[in-house]
Amino acid sequence: MIYLADTANIDELKQLFNYFPIEGVTTNPTIIAMEKKPMSVIMPELVELVGDKMLHVQMISSKAEDMLREAIAYKEKFALGDNYFAKIPVTMEGYKAMPMIKKQGINVTATAIFTQQQALVAARAGADWVAPYVNRLDNISSHGIEVVGNIVENIKQFGLKTGVLAASFKTVDQVHRVSMMGSQAATISFEILERLRSHPMTDMSVEWFEKDAEGLYDIDF
Ligand code: G3P
């Protein structure tokens, strides 16, 4: 499973790109709203930071034709390449837009997925990634991990090329369990990424090693 950062916060992303092996960034209108900056300001910052890693940008139009125009506009305005993914919600118009956008040579990430069938339809419509919302499912007494597992299994069974990009996490355990389900990718907030990579026992062990090494490690470097 590869990791993506589900944030548009530039400080968080700078930190992550410095040490965490993240493969890209995902955004949506809620994430953008948290930064209190318009897309015209935030997009150039994101494009510079992500470099050749993936950048998933959500379309806000409700009609398929407008989603297509929007997807093309981002590509052209910000000179985006193969690492750009137009995020399309799995509405009726969204499903219609997916093959249209693919036909223009733009990658598609189907988003706001809550069922295995929505993911399968999106995969059939040509989506490169499908993004099921794990925590939002858990919060409505459903089972996010199970839905991710079903999608992973179906995609494998039917030999589809679509990848599963699990999204919406509030705990490290949810991340752990989607990786055990074989999800190819997960997009995760800065806070949860920090929690999953760190452990107090690691910090303590390093402290002990440093103490024990005192005066013994005399090789110059
Ligand atoms: O990538 C989708 C994600 O941002 C939704 O997460 O935490 O708002 O449920 P959340």
Side-chain angles (χ1 to χ4, degrees), residues 6 26 28 31 87 133 135-136 167-170 187:
D6 203 20
T26 55
N28 63 34
I31 286 172
K87 280 179 79 183
Y133 280 11
N135 188 66
R136 291 193 195 189
S168 175
F169 294 100
K170 283 293 166 286
T187 186

Side-chain angles (χ1 to χ4, degrees), residues 5-7 26-31 34 58 87 111-112 114 131-137 139 165-170 187-189:
D6 203 20
T7 174
T26 55
T27 65
N28 63 34
T30 311
I31 286 172
M34 277 156 61
Q58 191 155 333
K87 280 179 79 183
T111 194
F114 288 85
Y133 280 11
V134 176
N135 188 66
R136 291 193 195 189
L137 275 162
N139 267 349
L165 171 58
S168 175
F169 294 100
K170 283 293 166 286
T187 186
I188 306 166
S189 69

